[in-house]
Amino acid sequence: MGPGRARENVCCGHRECFTTQEYFRATALDHNVLQLQIRLHADYRAEIPNFHPNGYRKASYRQYTLSQYGYLGRGIRRVAPSCVVCLSEGGFHPQMVFIYMGYRSD
């Protein structure tokens, strides 16, 4: 396991894991919420919406990040806990195959 993976292989550490809360499931795993988030993100960036599996995964990460930290951007990054990564990679679409991107500091 490389240094990046070791840094990411950590649960949120809360007494009750954040991913077990209904709020997380409703905002970061719900298909309709993520679809809207993808549309909003694409509109904001003047891009074409990405409704492929990696688009849903990234939308799930954005929803988690927004709910936990507020704004993050260039130079302001946080590593998503492994509990969030595992569910975001396929918890809401078990038939989809996700390609793991990993943490990027920039």
Side-chain angles (χ1 to χ4, degrees), residues 36-55:
L36 180 60
Q37 205 283 340
I38 290 169
R39 288 177 189 269
L40 287 169
H41 187 72
D43 184 57
Y44 177 77
R45 297 181 61 140
E47 297 175 347
I48 297 172
N50 178 4
F51 294 113
H52 297 287
N54 67 328

Side-chain angles (χ1 to χ4, degrees), residues 44-93:
Y44 177 77
R45 297 181 61 140
E47 297 175 347
I48 297 172
N50 178 4
F51 294 113
H52 297 287
N54 67 328
Y56 283 93
R57 178 181 48 80
K58 290 177 182 181
S60 181
Y61 290 158
R62 284 192 297 271
Q63 291 291 93
Y64 165 78
T65 301
L66 180 63
S67 69
Q68 290 299 296
Y69 306 110
Y71 173 79
L72 295 180
R74 185 172 294 218
I76 307 171
R77 303 286 190 206
R78 299 274 194 261
V79 177
S82 60
C83 50
V84 171
V85 171
C86 288
L87 285 177
S88 296
E89 286 183 346
F92 53 95
H93 290 297

